[in-house]
Amino acid sequence: MARQHARTLWYDRPKYVFMEFCVEDSTDVHVLIEDHRIVFSCKNADGMEFYNEIEFYAKVNCKDSRDKRSGRSITCFVRKWKEKVAWPRLTKEDIKPVWLSVDFDNWRDWEGDEEVELAQVDHYAELLEKVRTKRPPPAMDDLDRRARNEDCPASLSVRRQAFLRARLPAYWEAAAMAFQCQRDSYAREFTTTVVSCSPAELQTEGSNGKKEVLSGFRVVLEDTLLFPEGGGQPDDRGTINDISVLRVTRRGAQADHFTQTPLTPGTEVQVRVDWERRFDHMQQHSGQHLITAVADHLFGLKTTSWELGRLRSVIELDSPSVTAEQVAAIEQSVNEKIRERLPVYVRELSLDDPGVEQVRGRGLPDDHAGPIRVVTIKSVDSNMCCGTHVSNLSDLQVIKILGSEKGKKNKTNVTFLAGNRVLKWMEKSHSTEKALTALLKCGAEDHVEAVKKLQNSNKLLQKSNLNLLRDLAVHVAHSLRNSPDWGGVVTLHRKEGDSEFMNIIANEIGSEETLLFLTVGEEKGAGLFLLAGPAEAVETLAPRVAEVLEGKGAGKKGRFQGKATKMSRRAEVQALLQDYVSTQSAEE
């Protein structure tokens, strides 16, 4: 049978470091304390073997260290080599094992105080057997309740919180609870306190599609109602004291709110969430969990990623293809579960909880700290997730899978809508249907056939039009060639036409002695142009012609064509060409 790590709690005192290995009804207990490490092993009543080895943060006095066994744990009292020197962590390496946590019930902010320890080591040993049952926090009449962080362990003062944040950041994050938005996704308003406000910049995309940089402030609150982006879910929008929050991002265990107006640290503020956006994200995210679970259960289709888009959401499945029949079966099953009104609930598990192995997930972020948040749909799915969710599948209303298409790296993308998005999609589709009925003069059931007939008619008309245009191009070419003005520079402009029209004319004329300048399009707007003639002349003049017309193009072997934005300057081009021809004639 494989050995496991025993869950271990620790706390710091001026003279001792206390460790508690949490194993009930332990047997075969062995504790080896050396100057720089401790080795612990035992068995529980079921015969499970436990083994922990810890390299200490600093040297200890192993000769004056002890251990004591109780029915619920084994407590070790390790004497520090240097007394009254605080340990910021228990381990030598700045890495927190998943099985190791700070015992906040027994932590005291002693650093800098001259008071002696509350009791001797033997007395602590007796108390430790009793403190496993959570008790009400001690009275703190000197504490301003408004300044308390409700996410902190209840027995820690503000000064003690500051000490732990500074000296034990990783362990502090492990003790912190989830944000208010995660504890109550349905809350729309929340009162909290500003912790800090500092200048910051936010990169956004402007209305013209170009990136813009906004100057503002990064505001940190004691707790937040606004969800920071993460887990495939975009961030919330809302206000702090009616000041718009333009972005919310997570930084470790805190959320950064970007505003363009500063907020004073220490002040109490009212946070409001953009409820329409929040509830939409809740519906889409819970919908994704449901689709992912059903797709896996019915067909073994695993989700590798997903995106909550502005209009629709996409789930990437680890399969090269998904059939229409599979999509229909998944859609039917998820909507049946919505009608069953299955509850959705959130719970938190420690990293060493055996239940973690039964939870679906794609791994934790590198900077994750604290317990694992698990979202469970009753009898359907349990999944690691940090996002906001509905509390019952009935709040999803309905799910519509729009279809599937081939994705990247041999994957398949499934597009879906949930809740209010389905209603908006239906409303838009119905409006389109009514407009088509009016235009096509037939009922909705005949729309497809009517459009097919129009497409066929359009193809015939295009083919006929193309033939006529070619005939016209040949006729125009002959007319120009036989014109008394033939020679030197020949120009022609038509409102109707395309590149093929101009090339047919150039091919029919086939002269390498005359400069031919053809244009099609609006008289003063945008259009197409073609310059043909002697290769050397075209190569010299083409860039200047494109510049005058404020366009661009390409060409070779005596022909250059492109797009222009200023067809109104055709006369300038004609003058440019005439000057060139005149100069060449004079030189000859």
Side-chain angles (χ1 to χ4, degrees), residues 163-450:
F163 166 77
L164 290 175
R165 279 194 177 99
R167 301 302 298 271
L168 298 160
Y171 298 116
W172 173 261
E173 291 174 12
M177 295 171 63
F179 297 125
Q180 177 66 15
C181 57
Q182 295 169 306
R183 295 193 299 272
D184 184 2
S185 298
Y186 287 82
R188 305 191 188 194
E189 296 185 4
F190 179 65
T191 301
T192 185
T193 304
V194 178
V195 173
S196 65
C197 179
S198 56
E201 291 184 338
L202 175 66
Q203 191 174 77
T204 63
E205 187 173 300
S207 56
N208 57 0
K210 294 183 179 179
K211 292 184 178 179
E212 298 178 355
V213 177
L214 299 179
S215 296
F217 301 88
R218 183 174 66 193
V219 177
V220 177
L221 307 175
E222 281 190 355
D223 196 356
T224 186
L225 190 66
L226 305 182
F227 178 76
E229 58 187 353
Q233 178 176 328
D235 55 334
D236 281 337
R237 293 290 183 269
T239 60
I240 304 174
N241 278 4
D242 296 325
I243 296 171
S244 295
V245 177
L246 306 181
R247 183 70 54 81
V248 190
T249 55
R250 184 178 67 86
R251 184 158 55 95
Q254 70 184 29
D256 293 339
H257 308 73
F258 183 86
T259 67
Q260 291 188 286
T261 303
L263 290 157
T264 304
T267 59
E268 190 174 87
V269 292
Q270 187 78 8
V271 183
R272 292 185 176 89
V273 67
D274 178 342
W275 176 246
E276 183 177 356
R277 177 183 173 94
R278 158 69 69 75
F279 190 59
D280 172 58
H281 289 176
M282 289 165 60
Q283 288 184 319
Q284 309 316 309
H285 204 158
S286 297
Q288 176 264 314
H289 278 223
L290 182 56
I291 294 173
T292 290
V294 170
D296 188 7
H297 175 71
L298 292 182
F299 305 109
L301 298 171
K302 306 291 184 182
T303 292
T304 51
S305 68
W306 88 290
E307 178 187 8
L308 199 166
R310 188 173 61 86
L311 298 177
R312 55 193 64 186
S313 300
V314 178
I315 297 174
E316 183 186 71
L317 297 177
D318 191 14
S319 175
S321 64
V322 178
T323 67
E325 291 75 17
Q326 288 176 319
V327 168
I330 294 170
E331 182 179 278
Q332 179 179 348
S333 179
V334 297
N335 283 293
E336 286 175 353
K337 296 184 186 307
I338 290 173
R339 290 190 291 273
E340 291 174 14
R341 302 175 58 86
L342 298 176
V344 180
Y345 54 90
V346 178
R347 56 197 173 108
E348 291 184 350
L349 301 178
S350 62
L351 287 171
D352 58 349
D353 192 310
V356 171
E357 298 180 3
Q358 308 301 320
V359 176
R360 182 171 54 81
R362 298 191 301 275
L364 296 169
D366 294 336
D367 61 347
H368 173 82
I372 296 175
R373 188 168 180 267
V374 178
V375 176
T376 298
I377 303 173
K378 184 180 178 181
S379 71
V380 175
D381 180 54
S382 287
N383 183 27
M384 286 186 274
C385 184
C386 65
T388 56
H389 290 271
V390 300
S391 61
N392 191 288
L393 290 187
S394 61
D395 277 352
L396 295 184
Q397 300 167 287
V398 66
I399 286 177
K400 177 61 184 175
I401 300 180
L402 300 179
S404 64
E405 61 182 9
K406 186 176 179 59
K408 299 179 180 178
K409 298 181 179 180
N410 216 28
K411 305 284 196 330
T412 298
N413 294 331
V414 173
T415 305
F416 76 95
L417 306 171
N420 291 335
R421 291 194 182 191
V422 178
L423 299 178
K424 292 178 180 179
W425 176 71
M426 287 295 296
E427 181 179 354
K428 184 177 180 180
S429 297
H430 183 58
S431 297
T432 301
E433 181 182 289
K434 287 170 60 178
L436 286 173
T437 297
L439 291 171
L440 299 174
K441 308 297 183 184
C442 65
E445 64 278 5
D446 296 323
H447 284 176
V448 173
E449 286 301 319

Side-chain angles (χ1 to χ4, degrees), residues 54-265:
I54 301 171
E55 292 285 336
F56 288 131
Y57 172 76
K59 185 179 179 180
V60 302
N61 186 345
C62 62
K63 295 181 179 180
D64 194 15
S65 300
R66 300 164 57 185
D67 60 88
K68 183 178 179 67
R69 176 186 173 278
S70 71
R72 305 194 65 177
S73 62
I74 299 90
T75 303
C76 298
F77 317 91
V78 181
R79 186 70 176 261
K80 293 180 178 178
W81 190 264
K82 292 184 179 180
E83 298 178 2
K84 295 186 178 180
V85 176
W87 284 23
R89 60 181 183 272
L90 180 64
T91 57
K92 179 180 180 180
E93 299 294 333
D94 191 10
I95 299 174
K96 177 182 175 297
V98 297
W99 42 266
L100 180 62
S101 302
V102 174
D103 186 355
F104 285 101
D105 283 341
N106 291 289
W107 192 282
R108 294 183 61 252
D109 180 7
W110 58 266
E111 189 181 40
D113 291 347
E114 295 299 326
E115 65 184 75
V116 297
E117 299 187 43
L118 295 178
Q120 298 298 319
V121 170
D122 286 337
H123 181 53
Y124 282 131
E126 296 175 4
L127 291 178
L128 280 173
E129 296 185 23
K130 303 176 182 178
V131 298
R132 291 306 95 221
T133 302
K134 300 293 182 180
R135 58 191 183 283
M140 295 184 179
D141 297 332
D142 61 330
L143 188 65
D144 181 358
R145 291 185 179 276
R146 290 177 300 175
R148 290 180 67 181
N149 186 337
E150 298 301 329
D151 278 355
C152 304
S155 59
L156 298 181
S157 68
V158 172
R159 184 163 63 92
R160 201 163 296 164
Q161 294 170 22
F163 166 77
L164 290 175
R165 279 194 177 99
R167 301 302 298 271
L168 298 160
Y171 298 116
W172 173 261
E173 291 174 12
M177 295 171 63
F179 297 125
Q180 177 66 15
C181 57
Q182 295 169 306
R183 295 193 299 272
D184 184 2
S185 298
Y186 287 82
R188 305 191 188 194
E189 296 185 4
F190 179 65
T191 301
T192 185
T193 304
V194 178
V195 173
S196 65
C197 179
S198 56
E201 291 184 338
L202 175 66
Q203 191 174 77
T204 63
E205 187 173 300
S207 56
N208 57 0
K210 294 183 179 179
K211 292 184 178 179
E212 298 178 355
V213 177
L214 299 179
S215 296
F217 301 88
R218 183 174 66 193
V219 177
V220 177
L221 307 175
E222 281 190 355
D223 196 356
T224 186
L225 190 66
L226 305 182
F227 178 76
E229 58 187 353
Q233 178 176 328
D235 55 334
D236 281 337
R237 293 290 183 269
T239 60
I240 304 174
N241 278 4
D242 296 325
I243 296 171
S244 295
V245 177
L246 306 181
R247 183 70 54 81
V248 190
T249 55
R250 184 178 67 86
R251 184 158 55 95
Q254 70 184 29
D256 293 339
H257 308 73
F258 183 86
T259 67
Q260 291 188 286
T261 303
L263 290 157
T264 304

Side-chain angles (χ1 to χ4, degrees), residues 568-583:
S568 58
R569 301 181 67 180
R570 298 193 314 278
E572 296 179 41
V573 174
Q574 187 172 356
L576 173 67
L577 301 179
Q578 292 285 8
D579 289 343
Y580 178 84
V581 171
S582 298
T583 301

